[in-house]
Amino acid sequence: MSFLFSNITIVPKVSSKGMDRFVQMSIQLFHHLRLNRDQELIITIGRTSKNIKIQIVDTEHNMLILPEWLMRDFDLPIKKIKFQAFYSPNINTLQLGPIIGLITEVGADEFNQPFFHSIHGFCEELHLGILENGGLFYVFSLDDFSRQGYYFEEDKWIPAQLPIPDVIYNRIHSRRQEKTDQFQQFRKKIESLNIPIFNDRFLSKWEVYKHLNDQSHLHSFIPETKIFSKENLFDFAQKYETVFIKPVHGSQGRNIIKILKIRENFFSIQTSFTSSTKNIDQIFSLNEIYQQIKPLLTNRIFLIQQGIPLLTHNTSAMDFRVLCHKNEIHSWNITSIVARVAADQEFVSNLARGGTILRPLIALQTCMEPKSASEALSLMKELAVEIAECISRCSNGITGELGVDIGIDNNGRPWLIEVNSKPSKLFEDGQGKIRPSARAIIHFCTKLAKDVITDKEVR
């Protein structure tokens, strides 16, 4: 089995390929690995392995000094790098890593520097956390996989040929891109390389609802939901005071319709369509409502959902984003909770539509007694973890991160609003440079990389 070292530092050494065939190793590390003086060692980084000869030197504990030409062969930046190391004595292999790759859309900022859109700052946090723990982190686009990535050095992202990653974190923002032939070919490629990828696709709202609705113990926390049709619209509008219509594939509170019963057979309508006029002050019959919303749906699949009377904050809509991550033993933990309060004239609380965030307990205490607020928060946490476990268990692929949106009704009961497989990184209220969600991602990536190495040994 492997021996794990928390840190082995590799240091580049200027040399010519023809003159320096040795990797220098500290005496302490040489003895710890129990190597023989004339024994060659296999070093593996990413998907590249090299047979090397060891030269023992009196240097810092757990240090490897690599000739620059060898670092180039490994596609490593020519700089000092701290790695975690996995030594397999039965195959005489020292694997250095983890190499963690994040796939997303890569643009350019006003200075023509690489820009990763809404997760740009989060990528810097991941870099700092991996630098601290040991490993190499880089960002790459779908077009550039295995050819070019971007690593962080001296406050900027530098393009370079980099090692094939041990694990990939999917942060592509576009559902459309995930459905392309190019992305499907990429998935086949990494599968052939046995590279784990997690959160490898967006989840549809209908898929999530079906998984959760199969769990009878969750029924009382999930609003009734069906595929939108004229028949279901008339049915829901008669049963519930408020009805929501949402795209199956949607995010950031866009393209949602809210229908509110004013009196018997008469309703108001409000939408978050950017191109739509808000008719909240007008009253319509159901037939008129249907005729208004039909052109907005444009042949896409929408859901219709029971509206729940939820607690508000100073009359503004309010819900809670619970960020959940899977840990090293594949259990779900909560890393962050914030209350989201809708902007004026908005019925969705998303930050992308002007919403603001509050600490959850403070937000709840504006609506209920302190004891009731604490109980509601505890129930919310339990529900979020239960939902994350269910989605992870029932969905294909590896799920390591979920954003669970929950509302609280007037009785303190939590209700699921929706689940996001690629949650925004703008919600967390931590004051530290490296937020809990970044640390959770780093730990999960490292675990996935270790699992691949262990699987190789078993084979």
Side-chain angles (χ1 to χ4, degrees), residues 82-102:
K82 182 171 76 173
F83 280 121
Q84 296 182 44
F86 311 85
Y87 179 57
S88 304
N90 56 322
I91 54 175
N92 193 34
T93 298
L94 184 67
Q95 180 148 344
L96 303 178
I99 309 296
I100 299 173
L102 182 149

Side-chain angles (χ1 to χ4, degrees), residues 52-70:
I52 56 96
K53 293 181 179 180
I54 298 295
Q55 184 180 65
I56 306 169
V57 293
D58 188 10
T59 185
E60 293 180 34
H61 183 63
N62 282 2
M63 179 175 284
L64 286 174
I65 301 173
L66 273 61
E68 285 187 358
W69 65 264
L70 183 56

Side-chain angles (χ1 to χ4, degrees), residues 258-276:
K258 177 183 178 181
I259 298 170
L260 179 65
K261 183 183 289 185
I262 303 300
R263 59 178 184 271
E264 194 66 28
N265 297 322
F266 287 95
F267 306 83
S268 69
I269 182 172
Q270 190 175 4
T271 82
S272 64
F273 285 75
T274 54
S275 60
S276 174

Side-chain angles (χ1 to χ4, degrees), residues 3 12 32 44 75-76 108 138-139 180 182 234 322 380 419 448:
F3 297 106
H32 196 86
T44 298
D75 291 327
L76 290 173
Y138 68 89
V139 181
T180 62
Q182 183 185 15
F234 277 64
V322 186
M380 189 192 312
V419 178
L448 292 177

Side-chain angles (χ1 to χ4, degrees), residues 72 74-77 146-149 151 158-164:
R72 292 190 187 96
F74 279 120
D75 291 327
L76 290 173
S146 78
R147 292 195 299 267
Q148 177 178 274
Y151 71 95
I158 299 172
Q161 174 83 36
L162 295 162
I164 297 292

Side-chain angles (χ1 to χ4, degrees), residues 17 42 170 175 209 248 259 323 372-373 375 396 399 409 422 429:
K17 187 167 183 177
I42 300 170
N170 181 11
R175 287 176 170 82
Y209 176 76
V248 167
I259 298 170
L323 198 56
S372 298
E375 290 172 351
N396 294 327
T399 305
D409 70 16
K422 298 184 186 180
D429 57 358

Side-chain angles (χ1 to χ4, degrees), residues 315-349:
T315 72
S316 294
M318 177 175 68
D319 61 23
F320 300 82
R321 163 60 60 87
V322 186
L323 198 56
C324 302
H325 287 89
K326 193 177 281 187
N327 63 20
E328 294 95 327
I329 60 172
H330 291 268
S331 295
W332 284 92
N333 291 330
I334 293 171
T335 54
S336 170
I337 307 179
V338 295
R340 306 186 302 179
V341 179
D344 290 342
Q345 305 301 314
E346 293 284 350
F347 63 92
V348 292
S349 61

